[in-house]
Every structure is written in structure tokens, then in C-alpha cells.
Amino acid sequence: SNEKDLATLVDVANEDLIVAGIRLRFPYHSIIGEEDTGTGDVKPLSTAPGVKTWIIDPIDGTTNFVHGLPLTCVSIGMCDGGIPVLGVVYAPMTHELYVAVKGCGSYRNGVPIRTSTSTSTPTEPSKTLSKAVVCVEFGSITNPLEISQQVEALQRIMVAGIRSIKSFGSGVLDLVYVASGRLDIVYAGIAG
């Protein structure tokens, strides 16, 4: 479709721009890009000491992007010897920049962020499931058995009691929202 073609063109253009910037500054680093690997084998992530690998998702939340929904982002991570050491997420429609550096903390627009449970104290225990905001993502599964398993798992969560369920359509934003305390749990359709 034309919408899918547009998303692919923007994905590829974003990835090309990011790769060019990384190559300019770090010409010997490895790069794994979503568009680069989308039609072939995924390059292995090296665990050799000192080998730096950048991992890029030029548009996370592509369906949101195609439909003009604002919850979409660019995600760039870097591993050193297979260990994540840097993560950057930019959500252009909400003007939010998330940065995390191993050993230096995590930030949204320069302000430190924390998960909602990281604020517990001896008199105020960690959040319970009944007070949790849960985000669910089902993606585009079409197998009836998988759909049934995922819905049943979600039903078990709901019956246990939660505050609220959300679905944003961007796995990366889901995770930074957990890191910043906006969400408590992400359920990404792993049934069982």
C-alpha cells in the first residue's frame, strides 16, 4: 500500500541518516539497523571485549506513524562487548528525548527519571499489581491459537486486579514509560 511504502521510505531515510552520522564519528563501530536487517539475516551482536555495536530502530511505532498518531520514536542503542551501555530514544511528536548511560542514570529532557516502584520507602511499600498501570501490545498476530493464549493471559492479569490497561503501539515508548514511572508493567503478548 502507499502508506506502507511511505513508512518504508521514511524508515530507510531515517536509518541512512543515523548510520551516516555514526559512521562519520565512529567509522570502525558495527551497526545493526532494523531496515538493514529487515529483509535478511540479523547481524550477530558481538560479545568480544571492546567491540562497539550500534542498534537502530529508525521508526518504532510504524503503524502509529502511518496513521498520524503521535506515539512513535527513533531508538538508538550502543553495546560494548555485547553489554548495553547507551540508549537514546527521541519521540519527535511529544518532544521528548530519553537518554540512559550505564553508570550515569536515565533522563527525559535532561531530568532524571525513575520507575514508579523505585520511590518506595519503608512506610510506603512498592506498588502492588492492583495499583499497576499495565500496557499491552499484541502486534499483528493472526494465528487464532496465539490470539486466544494472549487474550487468556491478559484476562488472568485483569482478574487478578489492576488499576488500568493501556496500549500505545510503540514497544520502545512502552519501555521508556516504565523507566520514567508512567507505566508499571508491559505485557507484550508472551502467553503461558
Side-chain angles (χ1 to χ4, degrees), residues 172-191:
V172 171
L173 287 179
D174 295 346
L175 295 175
V176 297
Y177 290 169
V178 169
S180 61
R182 290 177 170 172
L183 294 172
D184 301 300
I185 299 168
V186 175
Y187 169 71
I190 300 170

Side-chain angles (χ1 to χ4, degrees), residues 16-92:
D16 288 347
L17 180 67
I18 295 164
V19 168
I22 292 170
R23 290 259 182 257
L24 184 65
R25 182 81 167 95
F26 307 104
Y28 301 106
H29 290 191
S30 296
I31 299 174
I32 300 172
E34 183 185 60
E35 298 310 308
D36 184 38
T37 61
T39 57
D41 293 332
V42 176
K43 297 176 193 173
L45 178 62
S46 175
T47 57
V51 174
K52 312 259 189 313
T53 305
W54 295 85
I55 302 165
I56 304 164
D57 186 348
I59 300 179
D60 185 71
T62 305
T63 300
N64 287 352
F65 174 80
V66 167
H67 291 277
L69 296 169
L71 296 177
T72 180
C73 64
V74 177
S75 174
I76 304 170
M78 200 260 285
C79 292
D80 186 352
I83 298 169
V85 295
L86 170 71
V88 177
V89 174
Y90 181 60

Side-chain angles (χ1 to χ4, degrees), residues 129-134 154 157-158 160-165 185:
L129 183 61
S130 65
K131 295 180 181 178
V133 177
V134 177
L154 181 58
I157 293 169
M158 293 175 72
I162 58 174
R163 172 163 286 157
S164 179
I165 288 190
I185 299 168

